[in-house]
Amino acid sequence: MPIFYGKASLMDYLKSIKTADSTIGFVPTMGALHQGHLALMKKSLLENNNTVVSIFVNPTQFNNLEDLAKYPRTLEEDVKKLDDLDPKIILYAPSVDDIYEGNVLSQHFDFDGLENQMEGKFRPGHFDGVGTIVKRLFEIVTPTNAYFGEKDFQQLQIVKRMVFKDKLGVIIVGCPIHREQNNLAMSSRNERLSEQEREEAAIIYKTLTAAKEKFTKQSSRKITEWVKSFIERNPRFTLEYFTIADETTLLSCTKKDKNKKYRAFIAVLVNNIRLIDTISLN
Ligand code: PAF
């Protein structure tokens, strides 16, 4: 499997394999690969001539240094998973210096307010970091199609907005959430949970499906109150936020409009590990 640690050699290689009508599919990741990542890659492999995967734990999108330090880094196992999936995958695993060239700072973005909701409220600067790295990776990889999971639905909407506003010419493909056997959304952070916490975290999806049931009958405020008490019955769990929001603007739903699409978004802290999930409501 071709592996590149520097952008110059990756760009030379991509140039050498490019033909007039070939396409590049791109799956950006921070590693600790799970079935959710592999599903994005399978889709990219089906839909493109070449697939590039990046593994890079991007420091500028972490507002919490402990979270950055504890983020799982499993490059050797990740390489094996990629090679088993398809040895034609092209891996880019850069160093911080290869990406930031000594200037580890985010660009500031205006995502038309999408960045101020939910994750943006609780992780200041997070989406500037995401915008910075995704844009830089797009410049290096020059993908035709780029694949993102719907678990990070706000990120997906923000990347789409950035591509539109900055005319980046990449097609953004959103892909469904992959779940563990107990329906916990797959995430690299799940590796940090104890076995008991991982089992108990099944409550997050249970809460979302119950909220979906309540959606037609109860107000958002009432559902939100119920979610908080339901989640926090377990003293190890703290609800960071639960929001019912318009899928396009990500603004909280105060009054339901039958012409709009709504989603519930949740972030829960389990022993200081942040887990997020989302569900479409109508
Ligand atoms: O979703 C992620 O893993 C990251 O936010 C991304 C898109 C790879 C950027 O670092």
Side-chain angles (χ1 to χ4, degrees), residues 16-70:
S16 76
I17 58 170
K18 192 178 166 137
T19 63
D21 54 3
S22 65
T23 58
I24 298 177
F26 178 43
V27 184
T29 81
M30 299 206 295
L33 301 177
H34 51 68
Q35 286 303 321
H37 293 119
L38 300 188
L40 303 182
M41 293 166 201
K42 283 181 196 158
K43 190 162 167 62
S44 173
L45 286 162
L46 274 177
E47 296 178 354
N48 299 278
N49 303 94
N50 301 293
T51 287
V52 177
V53 170
S54 64
I55 295 183
F56 179 63
V57 181
N58 172 38
T60 63
Q61 72 188 73
F62 286 82
N63 57 313
N64 178 330
L65 285 179
E66 188 191 338
D67 194 23
L68 172 61
K70 291 197 170 155

Side-chain angles (χ1 to χ4, degrees), residues 88-244:
K88 285 196 301 296
I89 288 175
I90 301 157
L91 172 62
Y92 177 42
S95 62
V96 171
D97 230 35
D98 190 55
I99 293 287
Y100 285 101
E101 298 176 346
N103 192 20
V104 188
L105 286 176
S106 297
Q107 182 185 335
H108 179 65
F109 289 89
D110 173 2
F111 298 117
D112 300 331
L114 294 176
E115 71 278 25
N116 299 328
Q117 310 304 318
M118 301 176 294
E119 292 297 287
K121 276 191 196 151
F122 288 88
R123 305 182 68 189
H126 170 66
F127 287 118
D128 280 340
V130 170
T132 302
I133 185 61
V134 171
K135 195 170 172 187
R136 211 154 283 189
L137 289 169
F138 282 179
E139 283 159 8
I140 296 167
V141 176
T142 63
T144 322
N145 301 298
Y147 298 80
F148 291 81
E150 283 183 353
K151 180 174 75 68
D152 298 291
F153 193 86
Q154 187 174 12
Q155 166 174 280
L156 172 64
Q157 297 297 66
I158 280 176
V159 170
K160 283 183 180 164
R161 189 65 55 97
M162 177 176 76
V163 166
F164 174 74
K165 289 183 87 167
D166 294 359
K167 302 185 179 59
L168 300 182
V170 182
I171 297 167
I172 303 301
V173 185
C175 304
I177 299 176
H178 267 250
R179 298 187 177 279
E180 301 195 359
Q181 242 172 12
N182 68 356
N183 280 326
L184 173 64
M186 284 193 183
S187 163
S188 305
R189 287 195 170 85
N190 294 354
E191 293 201 3
R192 292 179 51 206
L193 299 169
S194 70
E195 216 169 291
Q196 187 187 351
E197 288 163 348
R198 205 160 171 151
E199 237 358 276
E200 290 175 352
I203 185 89
I204 297 172
Y205 186 67
K206 263 193 209 131
T207 307
L208 287 181
T209 49
K212 183 172 174 137
E213 282 232 5
K214 292 176 189 288
F215 181 66
T216 47
K217 301 167 223 134
Q218 291 182 15
S219 69
S220 295
R221 192 181 51 80
K222 229 171 155 214
I223 300 173
T224 307
E225 279 168 15
W226 172 80
V227 167
K228 186 162 172 62
S229 62
F230 191 62
I231 289 280
E232 293 188 349
R233 279 185 324 179
N234 184 332
R236 278 186 291 277
F237 286 23
T238 309
L239 181 71
E240 197 167 71
Y241 65 76
F242 171 83
T243 310
I244 292 179

